[in-house]
Amino acid sequence: MTNERRVLVHPDKQNLGASVAARFITKIIDVIEEQDYASVVLSGGSVSTLVLAAINRSEARDSVDWSKVSFWWADERFVADGDDERNDKQNGIDLLDHIGVLPENVHRMANTSQAASLAEAATQYQAELKAHAQGDDESPRFDITLLGVGPDGHVASLFPDKPQVLQTSPTVLTIDDSPKPPPERLTLSLPAINNSQRVWLILAGAEKAASLGLALAGAGEDQVPVAGVKGRKRTVFFVDKDAAAEVPEQLIASTY
């Protein structure tokens, strides 16, 4: 496990989305060639609107054998199926509804029709993660996890100064007082996120610069949750020029 971290800076938001999409397609093809399947973790917000939509627009989209790709979620809002607040709904609009992914390979977190309570929904997803885990792991070793980062440094639904940030178990945590609506959410724990081979964090805009700078300067994850994200092989921050304003120059990589 190298825990290598890199920061790749792009001139603007549009270039950022297109670049991550191109790298994603290339890497997924490589992973499938190596092991005949690939697992991907999705989240909402900027990741969906920037990256997934760019993957869908790419001329290379159909070069991926999507039937060999499974999709999971880093977090989800515990609301009704089809609610506009659901990450999986937006992810579907941006990408999943347009590719040949198999229904059994789409591992959604439960909505309010599928679980009687937030706790039950968490237990269901924990069991699903465990069923697809390698060896004694509690969750799969995901190949690529795509995460956005909030202006406060939150990732998935792990928010600053909330107890969930420091919880190491179970793999799926409940939040009933999210500082961003809706209040009830499910989220992977940091250890579950960090069981990914590669974590790609996508940040755009000047409002993200302070959190990124703090995370790379060694801030604690309780204050800046993104600081606690470390993929098993690699952690890459894909950022636009505005978000990179407070990144030390020596941490900026010229290539992937």
Side-chain angles (χ1 to χ4, degrees):
M1 189 183 304
T2 63
N3 282 332
E4 179 183 359
R5 281 183 165 188
R6 293 189 181 184
V7 181
L8 294 176
V9 181
H10 301 76
D12 53 48
K13 195 172 183 179
Q14 290 68 34
N15 187 281
L16 169 64
S19 177
V20 177
R23 292 176 190 276
F24 177 88
I25 290 170
T26 299
K27 178 53 66 176
I28 285 295
I29 290 172
D30 288 345
V31 170
I32 292 172
E33 286 182 353
E34 179 182 342
Q35 60 189 30
D36 204 39
Y37 70 93
S39 57
V40 176
V41 179
L42 303 178
S43 55
S46 59
V47 170
S48 195
T49 56
L50 260 182
V51 177
L52 299 190
I55 293 169
N56 189 48
R57 291 192 301 268
S58 172
E59 293 181 358
R61 184 195 74 180
D62 294 335
S63 61
V64 176
D65 184 350
W66 294 106
S67 70
K68 295 183 177 181
V69 182
S70 62
F71 290 94
W72 300 80
W73 271 264
D75 70 321
E76 187 56 276
R77 290 84 181 273
F78 189 58
V79 292
D81 182 33
D83 192 299
D84 288 343
E85 294 284 1
R86 293 278 301 185
N87 287 335
D88 62 6
K89 180 179 180 179
Q90 189 61 49
N91 298 156
I93 292 169
D94 290 331
L95 179 63
L96 298 189
D97 294 347
H98 310 282
I99 57 177
V101 60
L102 300 176
E104 61 266 30
N105 288 346
V106 180
H107 303 276
R108 305 176 192 274
M109 291 179 167
N111 57 56
T112 53
S113 297
Q114 297 167 323
S117 67
L118 192 60
E120 182 181 314
T123 299
Q124 288 179 12
Y125 212 61
Q126 290 164 30
E128 193 160 359
L129 289 167
K130 179 63 175 176
H132 291 81
Q134 290 86 0
D136 294 331
D137 288 356
E138 293 298 316
S139 61
R141 294 186 182 181
F142 307 112
D143 294 300
I144 299 178
T145 291
L146 295 168
L147 292 177
V149 181
D152 59 356
H154 84 265
V155 290
S157 285
L158 298 170
F159 294 94
D161 302 317
K162 293 287 186 179
Q164 291 87 353
V165 179
L166 299 178
Q167 282 185 243
T168 58
S169 64
T171 51
V172 184
L173 306 175
T174 61
I175 296 94
D176 58 13
D177 59 348
S178 167
K180 291 180 63 180
E184 290 194 320
R185 298 170 176 228
L186 301 168
T187 185
L188 296 185
S189 65
L190 266 179
I193 289 171
N194 291 342
N195 207 32
S196 307
Q197 303 286 36
R198 305 159 192 85
V199 182
W200 293 4
L201 299 124
I202 293 89
L203 299 88
E207 69 276 11
K208 310 290 181 73
S211 292
L212 177 58
L214 286 169
L216 294 172
E221 59 260 38
D222 54 332
Q223 297 175 304
V224 187
V226 66
V229 175
K230 295 180 178 68
R232 296 176 65 89
K233 288 185 176 179
R234 182 172 289 180
T235 308
V236 184
F237 295 84
F238 294 93
V239 306
D240 70 358
K241 187 176 180 180
D242 290 338
E246 298 185 29
V247 175
E249 188 172 343
Q250 67 269 24
L251 295 181
I252 296 176
S254 57
T255 64
Y256 181 81

Short mmCIF file of all heavy atoms in Angstrom, two decimals, residues 76-81 86 108-126 128 172 174 184-186:
data_model
loop_
_atom_site.label_atom_id
_atom_site.label_comp_id
_atom_site.label_asym_id
_atom_site.label_seq_id
_atom_site.Cartn_x
_atom_site.Cartn_y
_atom_site.Cartn_z
N GLU A 76 -25.75 8.29 0.45
CA GLU A 76 -27.06 8.45 -0.16
C GLU A 76 -28.00 9.14 0.82
O GLU A 76 -27.84 9.05 2.04
CB GLU A 76 -27.62 7.08 -0.56
CG GLU A 76 -28.91 7.11 -1.36
CD GLU A 76 -28.79 7.96 -2.62
OE1 GLU A 76 -28.96 9.21 -2.50
OE2 GLU A 76 -28.54 7.40 -3.70
N ARG A 77 -28.97 9.82 0.27
CA ARG A 77 -29.99 10.50 1.07
C ARG A 77 -31.15 9.52 1.29
O ARG A 77 -31.63 8.89 0.34
CB ARG A 77 -30.48 11.74 0.34
CG ARG A 77 -29.45 12.88 0.27
CD ARG A 77 -28.45 12.74 -0.88
NE ARG A 77 -27.46 13.81 -0.93
CZ ARG A 77 -27.65 14.97 -1.56
NH1 ARG A 77 -28.80 15.20 -2.19
NH2 ARG A 77 -26.71 15.87 -1.56
N PHE A 78 -31.57 9.37 2.55
CA PHE A 78 -32.63 8.42 2.88
C PHE A 78 -33.98 9.09 2.64
O PHE A 78 -34.64 9.61 3.53
CB PHE A 78 -32.49 7.96 4.33
CG PHE A 78 -33.41 6.82 4.69
CD1 PHE A 78 -33.38 5.62 3.99
CD2 PHE A 78 -34.30 6.93 5.74
CE1 PHE A 78 -34.22 4.56 4.32
CE2 PHE A 78 -35.15 5.88 6.09
CZ PHE A 78 -35.11 4.69 5.37
N VAL A 79 -34.37 9.06 1.38
CA VAL A 79 -35.63 9.64 0.93
C VAL A 79 -36.29 8.63 -0.01
O VAL A 79 -35.76 7.55 -0.25
CB VAL A 79 -35.42 11.00 0.23
CG1 VAL A 79 -34.94 12.05 1.22
CG2 VAL A 79 -34.42 10.87 -0.92
N ALA A 80 -37.44 9.00 -0.56
CA ALA A 80 -38.19 8.09 -1.41
C ALA A 80 -37.47 7.80 -2.72
O ALA A 80 -36.70 8.62 -3.22
CB ALA A 80 -39.57 8.66 -1.68
N ASP A 81 -37.73 6.64 -3.27
CA ASP A 81 -37.21 6.28 -4.59
C ASP A 81 -37.66 7.32 -5.62
O ASP A 81 -38.83 7.72 -5.63
CB ASP A 81 -37.74 4.89 -4.98
CG ASP A 81 -37.20 4.43 -6.31
OD1 ASP A 81 -36.04 4.77 -6.64
OD2 ASP A 81 -37.92 3.70 -7.02
N ARG A 86 -32.01 12.10 -4.36
CA ARG A 86 -31.25 10.85 -4.41
C ARG A 86 -30.03 11.00 -5.31
O ARG A 86 -30.14 11.42 -6.47
CB ARG A 86 -32.12 9.71 -4.92
CG ARG A 86 -33.25 9.28 -4.03
CD ARG A 86 -32.84 8.35 -2.94
NE ARG A 86 -32.23 7.10 -3.39
CZ ARG A 86 -31.89 6.11 -2.57
NH1 ARG A 86 -32.07 6.23 -1.27
NH2 ARG A 86 -31.35 5.01 -3.04
N ARG A 108 -27.39 -0.15 -5.00
CA ARG A 108 -27.92 1.10 -4.44
C ARG A 108 -28.14 0.97 -2.94
O ARG A 108 -28.48 -0.10 -2.44
CB ARG A 108 -29.25 1.46 -5.11
CG ARG A 108 -29.18 1.55 -6.62
CD ARG A 108 -30.56 1.81 -7.22
NE ARG A 108 -30.56 1.62 -8.67
CZ ARG A 108 -30.21 2.57 -9.55
NH1 ARG A 108 -29.86 3.76 -9.11
NH2 ARG A 108 -30.24 2.30 -10.84
N MET A 109 -28.00 2.07 -2.25
CA MET A 109 -28.41 2.13 -0.85
C MET A 109 -29.93 2.23 -0.80
O MET A 109 -30.56 2.83 -1.67
CB MET A 109 -27.76 3.32 -0.15
CG MET A 109 -26.26 3.19 0.04
SD MET A 109 -25.52 4.63 0.85
CE MET A 109 -23.88 4.00 1.25
N ALA A 110 -30.53 1.65 0.22
CA ALA A 110 -31.99 1.55 0.31
C ALA A 110 -32.66 2.91 0.39
O ALA A 110 -32.13 3.86 1.00
CB ALA A 110 -32.38 0.71 1.51
N ASN A 111 -33.84 2.99 -0.22
CA ASN A 111 -34.67 4.18 -0.08
C ASN A 111 -35.73 3.90 0.99
O ASN A 111 -35.75 2.83 1.61
CB ASN A 111 -35.31 4.56 -1.42
CG ASN A 111 -36.13 3.41 -2.01
OD1 ASN A 111 -37.05 2.88 -1.38
ND2 ASN A 111 -35.79 3.01 -3.24
N THR A 112 -36.63 4.85 1.21
CA THR A 112 -37.59 4.72 2.31
C THR A 112 -38.65 3.64 2.06
O THR A 112 -39.35 3.24 2.99
CB THR A 112 -38.30 6.06 2.57
OG1 THR A 112 -38.85 6.55 1.33
CG2 THR A 112 -37.32 7.09 3.12
N SER A 113 -38.76 3.16 0.82
CA SER A 113 -39.68 2.05 0.54
C SER A 113 -39.03 0.70 0.77
O SER A 113 -39.72 -0.31 0.89
CB SER A 113 -40.18 2.13 -0.91
OG SER A 113 -40.91 3.32 -1.11
N GLN A 114 -37.71 0.68 0.82
CA GLN A 114 -36.98 -0.59 0.93
C GLN A 114 -36.48 -0.88 2.34
O GLN A 114 -36.03 -1.98 2.62
CB GLN A 114 -35.79 -0.56 -0.03
CG GLN A 114 -36.21 -0.47 -1.50
CD GLN A 114 -35.04 -0.14 -2.40
OE1 GLN A 114 -34.16 0.63 -2.05
NE2 GLN A 114 -35.03 -0.74 -3.58
N ALA A 115 -36.54 0.11 3.21
CA ALA A 115 -36.12 -0.06 4.60
C ALA A 115 -37.04 0.75 5.49
O ALA A 115 -37.40 1.88 5.16
CB ALA A 115 -34.66 0.38 4.79
N ALA A 116 -37.40 0.18 6.62
CA ALA A 116 -38.34 0.85 7.53
C ALA A 116 -37.70 1.99 8.30
O ALA A 116 -38.39 2.85 8.82
CB ALA A 116 -38.93 -0.17 8.50
N SER A 117 -36.37 1.97 8.38
CA SER A 117 -35.67 3.00 9.13
C SER A 117 -34.29 3.21 8.56
O SER A 117 -33.78 2.39 7.78
CB SER A 117 -35.54 2.60 10.61
OG SER A 117 -34.67 1.47 10.74
N LEU A 118 -33.67 4.29 8.96
CA LEU A 118 -32.30 4.60 8.54
C LEU A 118 -31.35 3.50 9.01
O LEU A 118 -30.47 3.05 8.26
CB LEU A 118 -31.90 5.95 9.13
CG LEU A 118 -30.63 6.64 8.64
CD1 LEU A 118 -30.70 6.90 7.14
CD2 LEU A 118 -30.41 7.95 9.40
N ALA A 119 -31.54 3.04 10.24
CA ALA A 119 -30.68 1.98 10.78
C ALA A 119 -30.81 0.69 9.98
O ALA A 119 -29.81 0.00 9.71
CB ALA A 119 -31.03 1.73 12.25
N GLU A 120 -32.03 0.36 9.58
CA GLU A 120 -32.23 -0.86 8.80
C GLU A 120 -31.57 -0.73 7.43
O GLU A 120 -30.98 -1.69 6.92
CB GLU A 120 -33.73 -1.12 8.62
CG GLU A 120 -34.03 -2.39 7.85
CD GLU A 120 -35.53 -2.62 7.66
OE1 GLU A 120 -36.27 -2.48 8.66
OE2 GLU A 120 -35.93 -2.95 6.53
N ALA A 121 -31.66 0.45 6.84
CA ALA A 121 -31.03 0.67 5.54
C ALA A 121 -29.51 0.50 5.65
O ALA A 121 -28.87 -0.09 4.77
CB ALA A 121 -31.36 2.07 5.03
N ALA A 122 -28.93 0.99 6.74
CA ALA A 122 -27.49 0.84 6.95
C ALA A 122 -27.11 -0.63 7.10
O ALA A 122 -26.12 -1.09 6.50
CB ALA A 122 -27.05 1.62 8.18
N THR A 123 -27.89 -1.37 7.86
CA THR A 123 -27.61 -2.79 8.07
C THR A 123 -27.69 -3.57 6.76
O THR A 123 -26.86 -4.45 6.49
CB THR A 123 -28.61 -3.38 9.09
OG1 THR A 123 -28.47 -2.69 10.33
CG2 THR A 123 -28.36 -4.86 9.30
N GLN A 124 -28.66 -3.22 5.92
CA GLN A 124 -28.79 -3.89 4.62
C GLN A 124 -27.55 -3.66 3.76
O GLN A 124 -27.03 -4.60 3.14
CB GLN A 124 -30.02 -3.35 3.88
CG GLN A 124 -31.35 -3.80 4.44
CD GLN A 124 -32.52 -3.20 3.67
OE1 GLN A 124 -32.35 -2.64 2.58
NE2 GLN A 124 -33.72 -3.32 4.22
N TYR A 125 -27.06 -2.43 3.74
CA TYR A 125 -25.91 -2.13 2.88
C TYR A 125 -24.63 -2.74 3.44
O TYR A 125 -23.76 -3.18 2.68
CB TYR A 125 -25.77 -0.62 2.68
CG TYR A 125 -25.20 -0.26 1.32
CD1 TYR A 125 -25.88 -0.61 0.16
CD2 TYR A 125 -24.00 0.43 1.19
CE1 TYR A 125 -25.38 -0.28 -1.09
CE2 TYR A 125 -23.49 0.77 -0.06
CZ TYR A 125 -24.19 0.41 -1.20
OH TYR A 125 -23.69 0.73 -2.44
N GLN A 126 -24.50 -2.76 4.76
CA GLN A 126 -23.35 -3.43 5.37
C GLN A 126 -23.29 -4.89 4.93
O GLN A 126 -22.21 -5.41 4.58
CB GLN A 126 -23.46 -3.38 6.90
CG GLN A 126 -23.27 -2.02 7.52
CD GLN A 126 -23.77 -1.98 8.95
OE1 GLN A 126 -23.74 -2.99 9.66
NE2 GLN A 126 -24.26 -0.83 9.38
N GLU A 128 -24.56 -6.21 2.24
CA GLU A 128 -24.24 -6.31 0.80
C GLU A 128 -22.75 -6.08 0.56
O GLU A 128 -22.12 -6.78 -0.25
CB GLU A 128 -25.09 -5.30 0.03
CG GLU A 128 -25.06 -5.54 -1.47
CD GLU A 128 -26.22 -4.90 -2.20
OE1 GLU A 128 -27.07 -4.26 -1.54
OE2 GLU A 128 -26.27 -5.03 -3.43
N VAL A 172 -21.01 1.11 7.19
CA VAL A 172 -22.04 2.07 6.77
C VAL A 172 -22.57 2.78 8.01
O VAL A 172 -23.01 2.15 8.97
CB VAL A 172 -23.20 1.37 6.03
CG1 VAL A 172 -24.20 2.41 5.53
CG2 VAL A 172 -22.66 0.54 4.87
N THR A 174 -24.93 6.00 9.84
CA THR A 174 -26.16 6.78 9.69
C THR A 174 -25.94 8.21 10.17
O THR A 174 -25.20 8.45 11.12
CB THR A 174 -27.31 6.16 10.48
OG1 THR A 174 -26.98 6.14 11.87
CG2 THR A 174 -27.59 4.74 10.02
N GLU A 184 -31.44 13.07 6.90
CA GLU A 184 -31.18 11.64 7.08
C GLU A 184 -30.39 11.08 5.90
O GLU A 184 -30.83 11.16 4.75
CB GLU A 184 -32.49 10.86 7.25
CG GLU A 184 -33.20 11.14 8.57
CD GLU A 184 -34.27 10.13 8.86
OE1 GLU A 184 -34.99 9.74 7.91
OE2 GLU A 184 -34.41 9.73 10.03
N ARG A 185 -29.23 10.50 6.22
CA ARG A 185 -28.33 10.01 5.18
C ARG A 185 -27.62 8.73 5.62
O ARG A 185 -27.49 8.46 6.81
CB ARG A 185 -27.28 11.06 4.83
CG ARG A 185 -27.84 12.36 4.29
CD ARG A 185 -26.76 13.41 4.20
NE ARG A 185 -27.28 14.63 3.59
CZ ARG A 185 -26.66 15.30 2.61
NH1 ARG A 185 -25.51 14.86 2.13
NH2 ARG A 185 -27.18 16.40 2.12
N LEU A 186 -27.14 8.01 4.63
CA LEU A 186 -26.24 6.89 4.84
C LEU A 186 -24.90 7.25 4.24
O LEU A 186 -24.84 7.94 3.21
CB LEU A 186 -26.76 5.63 4.15
CG LEU A 186 -28.14 5.12 4.57
CD1 LEU A 186 -28.61 4.07 3.58
CD2 LEU A 186 -28.08 4.54 5.97
#
